[in-house]
Amino acid sequence: MGERRLVDWSGLPVGLTTGFRELLRACLEENRDDRPSNVLEVREVLKRELRACESGSVVTERAVVLPTERDAFVGRASELAALSEWLVGTSRLLTVLGPGGSGKTRLVVHHAWATVEDHPGGTWFCDLSETTSLEEVVTAVAATLEVPLQDAASVEKLGHALRARGRCLVVLDNFEQVAVHAADVLGPWLELAPEARFVVTSRVVLNLSGEQVLTVEPLGHESAVELFELRARSRNPQFVVDDENRADVQELVRLVDGLPLAIELAAARIRILSPQALVERMSDRFALLTTAPGAAGRQATLRATIEWSWSLLASWEKAALAQTSVFVGGFTLADAEAVLDLSAWDDAPWPLDAVQVLVDKSLLRTWESLPGRAGSGERWFGTDASVREFAVEKLCAPEAIASGASGPEAEQAAIQRHGEHFASLGSERRIAALDRHGGWTARQALSPRRDNLVVACRRALERGDAKTSAGAFVAAWAVMELTGPLVTARELGESVLACESLDASERLRVLLVQVEVSRHAGDVEGAWSLCEEALALAVRAGSRHHEMTARRVKGKLLWLRAQASEARACFEEVLGQARELGDPRGEGLALGALATMDADQGRFDDALARSTKSLSIIREVGDRRQEAMGLVGIGILHRFAGRLDEARECLQESLDIRRELGDRAGEGMVIDNLATLHHDRGDHVEALTCFQDVLATHREVGNRPSEALVQVNIGVIASKLGQLEEADAAFAAAESIMREARGAPRLAMLLISRAEHRQRIGDQAGFRADLAEAESLAEQLGVGPESRIGQAITRLREENGE
């Protein structure tokens, strides 16, 4: 018997699988036969359940992405019961239907928090109120799921990522304006992710097969009174509904038709108006609306409530609310300070105080961070969709606000301030700081501003403001380089470069970014053309730093084009320029590029010396991403030289950095190398564990090609360990993906690996079939016996005595 020890269960991820909950129960019950005997057994079961390898689901500390419930939830017993009944049924798509302000989002979020334990694959909330196109829907959901779209905005990729999460819940909020795309996104996701469930809030039915609809009615009379009392008390702690004011409160909630948002807007005025005064002020305005039937009448009631609340605002408050409508996806106090202009009013406070006033009046919402967005813990602000629609309308209307603070000119002025503010985040100084000490924190702060950066770029393009569009594009790429979507980045870059008013210096910066966009997209020739233009422009302008950057990228492209000697000469020139200019990061990157070439050409000692020097410089600069990449390169070099302990140390350090940075794709690449290292050492069990870990990572981000390659490796190792069923399953899973992708070289290597497995177990018919197809593929590819595929085929035939 192993030692017994108390286990600290605090801080475990939400939503552990049923298997682990059973283990926990066994730990607490002394007389159970299946009680784990020691801490090691507990640890191993916990690891297995977190990987959830058998179902392919992934459970992490990021498995709950929901808005925080900011105050008490009131009523809705029948709707909550209906949601619970749906959860145990067979339908996987539920549309929660109702007009704006009816409390659809609040209801669904409350239910989602209550059922996180029922969704071990995670609970994910995505606000689609700012989306209008299919691409924007995919981008928004990918951001919530933390799936990088570094190849293309792919519905299928997200479907596979959802499949990997197993039983999960996805809440798609404010779907009405993209309902036309429902079949194009929800159809494939429902098919590809059979365990995923989707709750959609919308003002319209989606009319999809299998859709169930839950209509949210106004709050019942008692619940509406209770909600008013709670919200009023948050503004005035002494307020209570009593015999003296009860009739007025009841009339008020009847007047606003029990709509939660309308009740909150009215309750926010309780500091200065009694319930009786509220009723008196609202009655005339609502007289024509209270008899309107159904959802149309409730929508009119909500609008009247917002209009009434607007009428009570001071002019500067109206201007502040209207101007916040230029933000997309939320804003911070720093953003508000840069964009809101209240200088026309002597009595107006600072923008920061104006924002707080609007929060106090329930016209702005606030969050600690945006749901589903990485960030640095800043407080964010935004409006309900109905209030934002109203604010947009008022900002555009010439007579909506005094002092000329509304109308087309005021609107364009606010949009321009918004654009200039976000474009400033793309200045050379700020972008350079992202790759130095403290840069990752700055990049995290930039990440949740992606939507504002993209819209700032597009608006600037519409008005012909090339400088603003360029700055916003450069800053947006600093985010999209890691998260995607590449489709959007490429389209924006092309549009900015098409601006005739773009001056030479800004064009050069945009060209250098667009080269990287094209290279990430695999368009080597397109990147080459852009790089040549950027290099020529840098030389003409005498911009040595930009010339060095362009020349380094040119070296990478030359290497991709198999022009080795030219690439080496390019990197050597960059190294000299970096040292001459006193640019340590440039020197470190050039050394790293030369080290990569040395390694690929078999000069391992030179590669290790250069890599070590490069890593030292990069660490001094503080570029954590490049440090992680450099450690992988050195780890691989140690592996090639047989220094396996040193290799493991480097790879583990790189993995720690990747996890610190939240780089899921990079994390998977490092674990791939660690698994291969364990395989080299003959530690097949640990290698199999690593490959299973990385398989979960690749699935979680929808990386199908890498998933297939890992499945092949799992099949090979499982075969060697005698786990024949596991090997067959892994090879079959890899084959399914590879045949779907039609990648002949990878399919050929899979067939060769499986043929070796079948040879090992004596399946001669299967062995010959796989080898024959591999030979056919080799012939189609035009590769001879000296190729990797050819050599493997020859070896297997010889081992089989042929």
Side-chain angles (χ1 to χ4, degrees):
M1 294 287 289
E3 67 171 314
R4 290 184 178 271
R5 184 182 306 170
L6 290 176
V7 180
D8 180 10
W9 302 107
S10 63
L12 289 177
V14 176
L16 295 178
T17 65
T18 302
F20 182 65
R21 288 203 297 270
E22 285 300 314
L23 173 72
L24 177 56
R25 194 170 291 115
C27 289
L28 300 175
E29 296 181 16
E30 288 284 346
N31 298 323
R32 283 184 57 155
D33 293 334
D34 58 344
R35 180 183 172 94
S37 61
N38 54 44
V39 172
L40 179 62
E41 183 180 342
V42 172
R43 183 179 67 83
E44 290 305 312
V45 176
L46 174 58
K47 284 175 62 179
R48 183 176 69 250
E49 291 299 323
L50 289 179
R51 286 198 304 269
C53 294
E54 293 180 0
S55 67
S57 63
V58 179
V59 182
T60 73
E61 68 274 18
R62 295 187 295 273
V64 178
V65 177
L66 284 171
T68 301
E69 294 193 278
R70 61 188 181 276
D71 41 35
F73 185 81
V74 176
R76 301 296 191 195
S78 62
E79 288 91 342
L80 289 171
L83 282 166
S84 296
E85 184 178 345
W86 170 78
L87 187 64
V88 298
T90 58
S91 172
R92 296 190 295 114
L93 172 61
L94 176 68
T95 297
V96 178
L97 187 68
S102 59
K104 303 184 296 295
T105 301
R106 188 65 196 275
L107 168 68
V108 169
V109 168
H110 182 73
H111 178 264
W113 274 116
T115 58
V116 291
E117 289 292 335
D118 297 309
H119 301 102
T123 303
W124 313 87
F125 175 91
C126 182
D127 181 7
L128 299 176
S129 60
E130 307 286 358
T131 63
T132 57
S133 67
L134 175 62
E135 178 190 329
E136 288 172 346
V137 172
V138 173
T139 300
V141 175
T144 298
L145 296 175
E146 296 183 318
V147 174
L149 296 177
Q150 294 167 317
D151 40 13
S154 168
V155 172
E156 289 74 22
K157 182 173 185 178
L158 288 180
H160 291 302
L162 286 166
R163 182 187 185 93
R165 286 158 168 77
R167 185 177 175 84
C168 62
L169 178 66
V170 180
V171 178
L172 302 175
D173 195 31
N174 295 302
F175 205 88
E176 55 273 356
Q177 75 282 352
V178 289
V180 67
H181 302 299
D184 295 326
V185 290
L186 286 168
W189 292 346
L190 286 164
E191 182 178 350
L192 290 168
E195 293 186 81
R197 291 173 178 265
F198 299 86
V199 174
V200 172
T201 71
S202 176
R203 300 181 193 180
V204 298
V205 177
L206 305 184
N207 293 314
L208 294 182
S209 175
E211 175 188 17
Q212 286 193 359
V213 177
L214 172 63
T215 301
V216 176
E217 299 293 345
L219 279 172
H221 186 72
E222 292 302 319
S223 293
V225 171
E226 181 184 357
L227 178 64
F228 180 88
E229 183 175 19
L230 285 172
R231 299 301 184 256
R233 192 177 296 163
S234 69
R235 300 302 193 274
N236 178 4
Q238 282 73 48
F239 177 82
V240 293
V241 176
D242 54 24
D243 292 341
E244 183 178 345
N245 62 26
R246 186 178 304 278
D248 290 318
V249 172
Q250 290 175 336
E251 173 61 14
L252 190 147
V253 299
R254 184 200 66 78
L255 200 60
V256 299
D257 204 10
L259 287 168
L261 177 56
I263 292 171
E264 292 193 14
L265 290 172
R269 292 289 174 176
I270 203 66
R271 284 180 179 173
I272 58 175
L273 295 172
S274 67
Q276 181 182 0
L278 286 171
V279 172
E280 290 173 352
R281 286 178 176 244
M282 296 175 73
S283 293
D284 291 341
R285 186 182 296 272
F286 282 52
L288 298 177
L289 299 173
T290 52
T291 58
R298 290 194 288 274
Q299 197 63 49
T301 300
L302 177 62
R303 168 150 184 114
T305 308
I306 299 173
E307 183 79 58
W308 168 80
S309 188
W310 168 270
S311 71
L312 298 179
L313 297 176
S315 293
W316 63 263
E317 293 174 318
K318 292 179 180 179
L321 178 61
Q323 290 174 31
T324 63
S325 69
V326 301
F327 292 106
V328 175
F331 60 92
T332 66
L333 288 175
D335 298 330
E337 193 171 24
V339 174
L340 301 189
D341 180 8
L342 307 178
S343 59
W345 295 273
D346 293 336
D347 60 336
W350 293 102
L352 310 185
D353 296 322
V355 168
Q356 186 57 55
V357 168
L358 295 174
V359 170
D360 290 342
K361 295 179 178 180
S362 292
L363 291 165
L364 286 180
R365 307 292 190 194
T366 182
W367 310 272
E368 287 297 330
S369 61
L370 290 181
R373 303 293 181 90
S376 55
E378 297 173 282
R379 179 168 286 277
W380 286 79
F381 301 85
T383 56
D384 179 272
S386 298
V387 174
R388 185 175 186 275
E389 291 171 9
F390 183 89
V392 168
E393 178 185 319
K394 292 300 183 182
L395 181 60
C396 299
E399 303 300 325
I401 307 172
S403 304
S406 64
E409 290 185 6
E411 178 194 16
Q412 285 305 310
I415 286 174
Q416 184 154 348
R417 290 193 300 275
H418 173 278
E420 290 173 353
H421 166 60
F422 285 99
S424 71
L425 303 180
S427 69
E428 289 205 65
R429 177 183 61 82
R430 288 190 170 183
I431 294 300
L434 299 179
D435 295 319
R436 287 171 170 77
H437 289 290
W440 192 256
T441 300
R443 200 179 289 271
Q444 283 183 307
L446 197 61
S447 179
R449 291 173 168 83
R450 183 190 63 191
D451 293 345
N452 274 301
L453 289 165
V454 170
V455 78
C457 182
R458 286 181 169 152
R459 288 169 176 169
L461 288 168
E462 289 174 2
R463 65 178 183 269
D465 184 349
K467 182 177 181 180
T468 297
S469 68
F473 168 65
V474 172
W477 173 245
V479 178
M480 290 191 285
E481 180 184 8
L482 302 178
T483 66
L486 276 183
V487 170
T488 300
R490 200 165 188 184
E491 172 255 312
L492 286 179
E494 290 171 352
S495 298
V496 175
L497 288 173
C499 285
E500 295 181 359
S501 58
L502 193 66
D503 67 30
S505 62
E506 294 295 341
R507 183 174 184 82
L508 177 55
R509 295 186 69 217
V510 174
L511 278 168
L512 289 171
V513 169
Q514 192 69 351
V515 169
E516 289 299 308
V517 176
S518 297
R519 190 170 67 85
H520 277 68
D523 181 7
V524 175
E525 292 309 310
W528 176 264
S529 176
L530 293 165
C531 187
E532 288 282 75
E533 182 184 351
L535 183 56
L537 194 56
V539 171
R540 283 200 305 272
S543 177
R544 299 292 305 284
H545 281 282
H546 287 140
E547 178 188 346
M548 181 181 66
T549 300
R551 206 174 294 282
R552 183 175 67 248
V553 177
K554 182 178 180 178
K556 293 179 182 178
L557 295 172
L558 285 166
W559 184 237
L560 289 172
R561 296 173 73 171
Q563 296 175 255
S565 58
E566 294 90 337
R568 182 174 289 278
C570 207
F571 289 137
E572 293 284 6
E573 188 171 355
V574 171
L575 181 61
Q577 284 183 310
R579 287 170 173 167
E580 180 185 341
L581 294 172
D583 183 344
R585 183 172 182 273
E587 180 182 355
L589 293 177
L591 285 168
L594 287 166
T596 299
M597 290 194 67
D598 288 336
D600 286 346
Q601 294 174 343
R603 294 196 288 272
F604 298 121
D605 290 341
D606 292 341
L608 182 59
R610 280 194 167 117
S611 293
T612 303
K613 176 63 175 174
S614 171
L615 180 62
S616 175
I617 294 172
I618 290 299
R619 278 175 166 161
E620 289 180 9
V621 171
D623 189 336
R624 296 288 277 168
R625 280 198 303 155
Q626 288 294 330
E627 180 183 355
M629 293 173 64
L631 283 164
V632 170
I634 293 175
I636 291 172
L637 289 170
H638 281 311
R639 174 179 161 240
F640 286 163
R643 296 184 291 270
L644 303 186
D645 289 339
E646 290 90 336
R648 176 179 173 77
E649 184 178 338
C650 287
L651 292 172
Q652 186 60 53
E653 188 175 354
S654 178
L655 182 60
D656 291 342
I657 294 174
R658 297 287 191 184
R659 286 174 172 167
E660 171 195 329
L661 301 181
D663 182 359
R664 298 289 289 161
E667 179 183 334
M669 181 266 289
V670 179
I671 298 176
D672 270 333
N673 280 282
L674 275 169
T676 303
L677 178 64
H678 289 305
H679 188 258
D680 290 347
R681 301 178 73 155
D683 191 350
H684 299 312
V685 173
E686 192 64 30
L688 186 59
T689 299
C690 274
F691 277 128
Q692 288 169 336
D693 284 339
V694 78
L695 178 64
T697 300
H698 290 321
R699 282 173 167 169
E700 186 179 356
V701 299
N703 189 340
R704 297 278 281 172
S706 294
E707 178 186 343
L709 292 175
V710 171
Q711 289 280 28
V712 173
N713 286 324
I714 289 174
V716 169
I717 296 173
S719 178
K720 291 180 179 178
L721 291 173
Q723 300 174 5
L724 305 186
E725 291 184 4
E726 290 84 348
D728 286 336
F731 285 132
E735 182 180 15
S736 175
I737 296 172
M738 289 178 173
R739 291 195 186 279
E740 177 185 315
R742 299 184 180 181
R746 290 182 173 181
L747 179 58
M749 292 308 299
L750 159 68
L751 291 166
I752 290 168
S753 297
R754 189 169 63 182
E756 187 170 11
H757 163 65
R758 287 176 165 172
Q759 182 187 50
R760 181 178 291 114
I761 64 176
D763 179 5
Q764 284 295 309
F767 167 79
R768 291 193 180 93
D770 281 346
L771 207 56
E773 187 177 357
E775 288 177 322
S776 175
L777 288 171
E779 185 177 346
Q780 293 174 29
L781 292 166
V783 297
E786 73 287 348
S787 67
R788 181 186 175 195
I789 294 174
Q791 290 179 4
I793 291 172
T794 300
R795 176 179 58 80
L796 283 180
R797 290 222 174 270
E798 290 176 350
E799 290 176 357
N800 202 50
E802 299 180 11

